[in-house]
Amino acid sequence: MAPILIIDAGHGGVDPGGGNNAQFTEKNMNLNISLYQYRRFQELNIPVAITRTTDVTLTADQRTKMVRESGARYCISNHINSGGGRGSEVIYSIYGSPQLPNLIQAELKAAGMPNRRIFTRTLPNNPKADYYFMHRQTGSVETVIVEYGFADNAQDASTLASNWEALAEAVIRAFCIYAKLNYRPPAAPPSPTTPPTTTPAPENPGNGGGNNVPEWKLEGINWLYEQSFLSDEVWRQRVDQPLPLWAEALILKRMYEKITGGQ
């Protein structure tokens, strides 16, 4: 079955993007948001595709070809802004409609990210052509570029670092409303304390910590909490997902401190 939607994780590989700060790089934040949305749309039984699932380099031609040839009707291209400003921006084609961008910004605002603007842009020397290649070269696919906030704005950066899952979910909700698709919230609310990881989550996250988790898995995860090696409850919902490098390092550190008595 052809996907209804294709998600584009902007930048990647040798292209880090411009929305970077001490807390995250744009390419990694884009990937985290996109993988989260990809898994959620699968949970909602909405046919979906994605341009990249790892930190790989895609040229503009490769990226837009994937979108054009995906069979999808819609594309959401995820990005983080920079350059001075505050809030989300949604950019749509000069041949498109502001309806989906308006819904996206309404949901992002409800999730804690203020709106900056919704707009279109043309090439300086051709008012009949879109400025951004994700609009200009994706054919008949209705593509919107979502800039979730400004990496160089302290308030936006803090919201993104601590609440990116809720922002990603807001766009899912907006798309379902727009495309008249059934929506249900995630089983566990997005954690406001989970930072973006540099290690992408797998395309198939297993059962996601649902009610059918085998007893031996629960025994292992519960022991990690009992020993205080894990403290963030979000990992109880991610039993079958690999821990990111920073989490593994914290566990090793806490094990070492327990063994040595903090010496």
Side-chain angles (χ1 to χ4, degrees):
M1 179 186 295
I4 294 171
L5 168 71
I6 182 166
I7 300 167
D8 173 42
H11 306 286
V14 299
D15 175 14
N20 309 309
N21 56 36
Q23 296 170 286
F24 55 80
T25 60
E26 181 180 357
K27 66 174 184 177
N28 290 333
M29 181 63 83
N30 294 342
L31 184 59
N32 275 274
I33 289 171
S34 298
L35 284 170
Y36 175 92
Q37 292 173 339
Y38 181 63
R39 291 192 301 268
R40 283 285 292 128
F41 278 118
Q42 288 179 318
E43 289 174 6
L44 294 169
N45 296 316
I46 294 171
V48 63
I50 191 169
T51 55
R52 66 182 180 97
T53 58
T54 57
D55 185 22
V56 296
T57 304
L58 291 175
T59 66
D61 286 344
Q62 289 172 326
R63 193 181 300 271
T64 52
K65 182 180 180 182
M66 291 174 68
V67 174
R68 282 196 314 273
E69 297 182 356
S70 67
R73 182 176 175 184
Y74 307 101
C75 173
I76 294 171
S77 184
N78 291 321
H79 291 265
I80 309 300
N81 227 330
S82 65
R86 173 90 207 275
S88 69
E89 295 185 341
V90 184
I91 314 161
Y92 65 102
S93 170
I94 58 174
Y95 297 105
S97 162
Q99 184 180 356
L100 177 56
N102 280 319
L103 287 168
I104 289 173
Q105 282 212 325
E107 293 295 335
L108 287 175
K109 184 177 181 180
M113 182 61 71
N115 303 156
R116 186 167 189 258
R117 59 174 176 163
I118 295 170
F119 67 99
T120 62
R121 186 176 178 184
T122 61
L123 285 173
N125 59 350
N126 187 353
K128 294 185 179 181
D130 278 294
Y131 178 86
Y132 297 98
F133 68 80
M134 284 302 295
H135 295 138
R136 195 173 63 249
Q137 298 178 31
T138 50
S140 61
V141 181
E142 183 178 340
T143 300
V144 294
I145 300 170
V146 182
E147 301 275 5
Y148 286 80
F150 282 76
D152 53 356
N153 178 282
Q155 291 172 290
D156 282 11
S158 177
T159 300
L160 280 160
S162 64
N163 212 31
W164 63 271
E165 285 186 333
L167 298 176
E169 185 70 29
V171 173
I172 295 169
R173 196 159 49 247
F175 179 78
C176 289
I177 293 170
Y178 175 74
K180 296 179 175 58
L181 298 168
N182 289 331
Y183 171 81
R184 65 179 183 276
S191 169
T193 58
T194 307
T197 70
T198 55
T199 303
E203 288 190 34
N204 182 3
N207 59 34
N211 295 328
N212 297 321
V213 180
E215 195 65 31
W216 58 271
K217 291 185 180 181
L218 288 175
E219 180 181 353
I221 199 80
N222 288 336
W223 182 84
L224 287 170
Y225 281 97
E226 290 167 2
Q227 299 301 315
S228 299
F229 296 141
L230 284 177
S231 56
D232 192 337
E233 287 294 316
V234 72
W235 297 111
R236 292 191 192 275
Q237 306 299 324
R238 299 178 176 181
V239 173
D240 287 330
Q241 293 187 23
L243 289 173
L245 184 60
W246 61 266
E248 293 177 357
L250 279 177
I251 289 175
L252 290 173
K253 178 175 179 289
R254 290 167 182 170
M255 284 184 175
Y256 177 78
E257 289 171 350
K258 187 179 284 288
I259 292 169
T260 62
Q263 301 298 318

